[in-house]
Amino acid sequence: MQTKLSRTQQYLIPVAAITAQGNLSKLKPQLAAALDAGLTVNQLKETIVHLYAYCGFPRSIRGLQTLMAVLEERKAKGITDVQGREASPITDSRSKYDRGKEVLGKISGASQDGPKTGYAAFSPEIEIFLKEHLFADLFERDVLSYAERELVTISVLSSIGGVEPMLRSHLDICLNVGISPAQLREFTAIITSTIGEKEAKAAQEVVDQVLKSKEPAK
């Protein structure tokens, strides 16, 4: 099991957190640093597109516009950034709902065949939207791995605050898709330095709770 976040993951986390906060002046140098570190244009685009599912189109679009501006500035300086690979074509002929259901089951490790409960029972339409769009349309795009998408997700949730139950669920998913406890601790350190110790306190507490719950009983 990995004990350190990859170089790519280390840069995706602050990009996602800062974009979610809407701090565009802080985002510009972070995007430039990510490009200098070897991240591709498509990796950054995919990160910013993904986060709209958690903090909305306005933040995502402003993030994309900021990336466009950074790329233009770098081009004017003679810097050629690598575009990177595109998402693979989807060849699965099943419905998006069925594909999304499978993806969610795979990353969560939980059966998706039981009766609907909670918000899914109260609002069946949002359960359909989640399966068809978030876990099919977005998660099936392989420019980012499941682990990278989950790191982007918990970065956004930590940044916006007030969504601790959802953050807890996605931290569990992180562990299920191969992110180690040591990597989550590194994540919290990056979040603290990115969005501030005070703002990151709640996220830190949730991470500590989740990791403690995974420790063997004494």
Side-chain angles (χ1 to χ4, degrees), residues 53 97 104 116-135 166:
Y97 183 87
L104 179 55
K116 302 295 183 290
T117 60
Y119 71 82
F122 179 71
S123 178
E125 56 272 25
I126 200 168
E127 191 267 343
I128 292 172
F129 296 158
L130 281 169
K131 296 284 199 316
E132 291 187 345
H133 184 44
L134 177 57
F135 293 109
M166 185 176 288

Side-chain angles (χ1 to χ4, degrees), residues 113-185:
D113 293 326
K116 302 295 183 290
T117 60
Y119 71 82
F122 179 71
S123 178
E125 56 272 25
I126 200 168
E127 191 267 343
I128 292 172
F129 296 158
L130 281 169
K131 296 284 199 316
E132 291 187 345
H133 184 44
L134 177 57
F135 293 109
D137 286 338
L138 291 180
F139 267 79
E140 283 188 314
R141 292 177 56 81
D142 58 1
V143 176
L144 299 179
S145 67
Y146 289 162
E148 288 167 344
R149 287 190 182 278
E150 282 303 317
L151 283 172
V152 169
T153 299
I154 62 174
S155 300
V156 174
L157 298 178
S158 298
S159 179
I160 63 178
V163 289
E164 284 73 26
M166 185 176 288
L167 175 59
R168 186 174 292 105
S169 295
H170 282 280
L171 287 168
D172 282 331
I173 293 176
C174 280
L175 293 170
N176 202 53
V177 296
I179 301 297
S180 69
Q183 287 174 310
L184 284 184
R185 293 188 184 94

